Amino acid sequence: MGELLIETLTALAAAGGGAVVQAAGTDAWHVVRERVAELFGRGDAERGRAELERLDRTAQALESGAAAAPEQERLRQEGVWQTRFETLLESLDAPGQEWAAQELRALLSLVAEATGDVALGTGKAVARDGGSAVSGVKRTGAGGRSMRAVNTGDAEATGTGSHAVSGIVGE
C-alpha cells in the first residue's frame, strides 16, 4: 500500500479518539477496551495493563454524573485519545503504521456496528447536472443511532437541481 499520508494518520487518530469515547459505557466497551490495549501494548503485557488502566480511567470520567460538564469531558477525552493514537502512529515505521491503521479501521468498524456509523477520510462529493452525491454517511431512518464524520472531503454541486454533501445526511 505504500507509506500512509500524514492526513490519513491524523484522521485515523481523530476517529480512534472518538471511537474510544463513543464506546465507553456501551456493550461494546469491553471488546474495544481490550483491542485498544492490545494495539498500544503490541505484545508487551505490562504496557497492555497500563493501557487498560488508562481506558478504565476514561470510562470512569465519562460515567453519568462524573463530570460537571459532560460534553467538555467527552471532548477532552477524545483529544487525549487522539493524541495517544497520533503518538503511537508517529512512533512506528511504515509497516507498523500500516498494521496499526488496519487495527484502527477494524476498531472503528466494530464501534460503528455497536454504536452508530462513522465516515473517515472520505473523498470529494461531486454532483452535476441535477445529480446527487454524498461523501460520508447517508442513512434513511437513522432510528436514534449516532453518526460521525471525520475529515470528509469537499463537496461540489454544479447545475440546477444538483446536491452534494460531504459529511452526514440523515433522512
Side-chain angles (χ1 to χ4, degrees):
M1 177 190 276
E3 200 166 314
L4 290 171
L5 296 173
I6 190 71
E7 294 85 9
T8 301
L9 296 176
T10 301
L12 277 170
V20 167
V21 169
Q22 189 175 5
T26 70
D27 292 341
W29 177 245
H30 294 291
V31 174
V32 169
R33 179 181 173 271
E34 293 295 324
R35 299 275 298 267
V36 170
E38 289 172 9
L39 179 63
F40 280 96
R42 296 187 314 270
D44 182 322
E46 187 174 324
R47 192 173 8 189
R49 280 190 298 276
E51 292 306 323
L52 289 171
E53 290 175 13
R54 281 187 186 92
L55 289 157
D56 289 343
R57 287 193 300 269
T58 293
Q60 289 169 354
L62 295 171
E63 286 177 359
S64 180
E71 187 56 31
Q72 287 179 340
E73 184 61 27
R74 288 181 65 77
L75 292 172
R76 188 183 83 72
Q77 290 294 335
E78 281 185 19
V80 166
W81 284 99
Q82 175 180 347
T83 300
R84 291 192 52 69
F85 284 121
E86 285 175 351
T87 301
L88 171 67
L89 291 166
E90 289 170 358
S91 73
L92 300 172
D93 60 11
Q97 286 178 343
E98 292 284 346
W99 169 80
Q102 285 178 327
E103 292 297 313
L104 265 171
R105 287 183 186 107
L107 180 72
L108 295 174
S109 292
L110 182 138
V111 172
E113 285 179 29
T115 63
D117 294 324
V118 177
L120 168 66
T122 63
K124 185 175 186 174
V126 178
R128 292 189 173 84
D129 302 321
S132 178
V134 175
S135 175
V137 177
K138 181 178 182 178
R139 187 170 351 115
T140 303
R145 284 185 44 156
S146 67
M147 295 181 275
R148 179 178 169 88
V150 177
N151 195 29
T152 58
D154 295 330
E156 177 184 322
T158 308
T160 304
S162 299
H163 301 281
V165 176
S166 177
I168 298 173
V169 176
E171 299 173 334

